[in-house]
Amino acid sequence: NAGVMQNPRHLVRRRGQEARLRCSPMKGHSHVYWYRQLPEEGLKFMVYLQKENIIDESGMPKERFSAEFPKEGPSILRIQQVVRGDSAAYFCASSSRDRDEKLFFGSGTQLSVL
Amino acid sequence: QKEVEQNSGPLSVPEGAIASLNCTYSDRGSQSFFWYRQYSGKSPELIMFIYSNGDKEDGRFTAQLNKASQYVSLLIRDSQPSDSATYLCAVSAGGTSYGKLTFGQGTILTVHP
């Protein structure tokens, strides 16, 4: 009974490189959320996606960040031209249906920008 | 003003005692309230959710909600060392914002033998 799967677990990038974070929701879940946890800060909402649709991206930085959840395959959070301030833990969560706010989180990707 | 505020702690209680964790929120339109537990270096784990005023009990955990006071709390009875973790309060406005949770900073709880 696999939970929310995220990979990689740790990702190291140099400034200016691209980071791609992957998330496969729990079986039967079609709603995916990305959250970011900066050092010494709480979890912050970034984006909410359903298959092939971005429902709410109000928490996404305006530049360099994008997310997708294609019809087939995992959800991808993409960060272009990373900067040191992007270093954080990125968590993906999923839920089973509309209006179900009980989110189940993956183990996260720790992004370190050198 | 922070949208969701928690006692930053750390909160230290002896084994077997009741741990009380508090959370206030600023958005009166908030509809759903959650408590997550996060062990160091791990992902948040949902332990309680509450939607209506009053108390909700699940095993050793009791969530209390008072919408008039914009206050939600978590009580942990018979605390165990394994309960030592950071507890995150999360609030949702519902409506078009389903799943868009606003988290507090977390309260670090230590249960000592």
Side-chain angles (χ1 to χ4, degrees):
Chain A
N1 184 20
V4 179
M5 304 299 291
Q6 287 188 251
N7 66 81
R9 187 75 176 89
H10 301 276
L11 182 61
V12 180
R13 286 286 178 266
R14 297 191 180 280
R15 281 179 296 171
Q17 292 184 320
E18 178 179 288
R20 281 184 175 237
L21 289 62
R22 293 175 182 76
C23 169
S24 296
M26 284 181 71
K27 187 176 181 180
H29 286 195
S30 58
H31 302 256
V32 166
Y33 310 81
W34 286 93
Y35 283 78
R36 177 167 65 174
Q37 191 169 39
L38 291 163
E40 307 304 324
E41 292 189 21
L43 279 159
K44 303 290 186 189
F45 168 83
M46 299 182 75
V47 62
Y48 164 31
L49 310 106
Q50 295 178 22
K51 287 282 187 181
E52 300 184 283
N53 283 305
I54 297 174
I55 306 303
D56 183 340
E57 57 180 345
S58 58
M60 289 279 271
K62 299 299 181 192
E63 297 178 347
R64 302 187 297 109
F65 285 72
S66 63
E68 62 176 3
F69 189 16
K71 187 176 181 180
E72 301 291 336
S75 175
I76 306 288
L77 179 67
R78 182 183 178 203
I79 311 172
Q80 295 179 289
Q81 300 176 330
V82 297
V83 300
R84 289 211 173 118
D86 297 332
S87 296
Y90 291 82
F91 288 99
C92 170
S94 70
S95 67
S96 61
R97 54 183 169 81
D98 276 343
R99 306 191 177 194
D100 182 354
E101 295 188 284
K102 295 189 289 293
L103 303 186
F104 296 88
F105 283 83
S107 55
T109 293
Q110 181 64 53
L111 173 65
S112 298
V113 180
L114 304 179
Chain B
Q1 180 185 3
K2 292 181 183 177
E3 295 180 38
V4 177
E5 287 204 51
Q6 297 183 242
N7 318 55
S8 57
L11 175 66
S12 181
V13 301
E15 185 174 356
I18 295 176
S20 177
L21 303 156
N22 304 314
C23 174
T24 58
Y25 57 94
S26 60
D27 183 359
R28 282 198 172 275
S30 298
Q31 298 290 324
S32 309
F33 307 86
F34 305 86
W35 284 98
Y36 283 82
R37 177 175 63 198
Q38 187 174 26
Y39 293 110
S40 181
K42 302 296 185 182
S43 60
E45 175 192 8
L46 179 64
I47 55 172
M48 288 291 286
F49 58 92
I50 186 167
Y51 304 136
S52 305
N53 278 329
D55 294 359
K56 179 180 178 182
E57 186 174 318
D58 184 1
R60 296 186 295 112
F61 299 100
T62 299
Q64 299 174 316
L65 174 62
N66 184 327
K67 288 187 177 181
S69 300
Q70 295 174 240
Y71 174 91
V72 59
S73 66
L74 178 70
L75 300 177
I76 306 174
R77 291 181 299 282
D78 188 24
S79 296
Q80 302 296 310
S82 58
D83 294 326
S84 298
T86 298
Y87 288 81
L88 305 171
C89 172
V91 173
S92 170
T96 57
S97 303
Y98 283 104
K100 183 179 176 180
L101 304 185
T102 301
F103 283 83
Q105 295 278 78
T107 298
I108 299 171
L109 171 66
T110 300
V111 180
H112 53 87

